[in-house]
Amino acid sequence: MKLLLKRAYEPAGKEDGTRVLVDLLWPRGVSKEKAKIDIWAKDVTPTPKLRTWFGHKPERWKEFSKKYKEELKGKKAELKALMGEIKKLGPKATLVYGAKDTDHTHAIILKEALEKIK
């Protein structure tokens, strides 16, 4: 299973495979038609409290990463179910997110967690 990352504001392409939105909120200004989302994985996103605290501030990235990984430990069943759903749809999937900062997005951490699921 190959997992990729892509911003919701980048055009969808055939090379994306299954497109999985990994944000709790729909990306502002992106139509459902344009986004071409196959799965909306709301239940494995950071909690609203953690997301608000982080506020996409790079100086909080290290602590955010640690806290989000802790949250994901309590969501093993959801992660496994999501990975199962992704695998049913094909050998490749793209985790789609809205954040502008591609180096400090929860999608990176989620991708790593999903890659550990067999």
Side-chain angles (χ1 to χ4, degrees):
M1 169 58 58
K2 184 172 183 174
L3 293 176
L4 307 168
L5 295 172
K6 193 174 207 179
R7 288 193 70 227
Y9 303 98
E10 296 175 46
K14 289 183 182 180
E15 70 281 357
D16 294 344
T18 302
R19 289 178 52 88
V20 183
L21 181 61
V22 296
D23 282 339
L24 182 61
L25 305 174
W26 191 267
R28 187 173 291 160
V30 178
S31 71
K32 290 185 180 184
E33 183 180 282
K34 191 174 178 180
K36 294 184 169 58
I37 297 299
D38 300 300
I39 301 168
W40 191 355
K42 293 180 190 179
D43 56 347
V44 294
T45 64
T47 59
K49 183 179 178 180
L50 180 58
R51 188 176 57 84
T52 302
W53 171 82
F54 175 47
H56 298 285
K57 295 179 181 173
E59 63 272 16
R60 292 185 178 170
W61 174 247
K62 190 174 181 179
E63 185 66 20
F64 170 80
S65 298
K66 197 163 114 179
K67 289 179 179 187
Y68 183 43
K69 286 176 185 177
E70 279 300 312
E71 285 185 357
L72 289 175
K73 284 181 184 177
K75 297 182 178 186
K76 288 184 180 179
E78 291 90 339
L79 289 169
K80 194 170 186 175
L82 174 59
M83 196 58 163
E85 199 174 343
I86 290 170
K87 285 180 179 179
K88 284 181 193 173
L89 296 175
K92 186 183 349 176
T94 298
L95 304 183
V96 179
Y97 61 94
K100 289 179 187 175
D101 184 344
T102 59
D103 293 325
H104 302 99
T105 173
H106 73 283
I108 295 168
I109 298 163
L110 181 57
K111 178 180 179 278
E112 290 171 2
L114 288 170
E115 288 174 336
K116 291 177 183 174
I117 296 173
K118 302 288 181 213

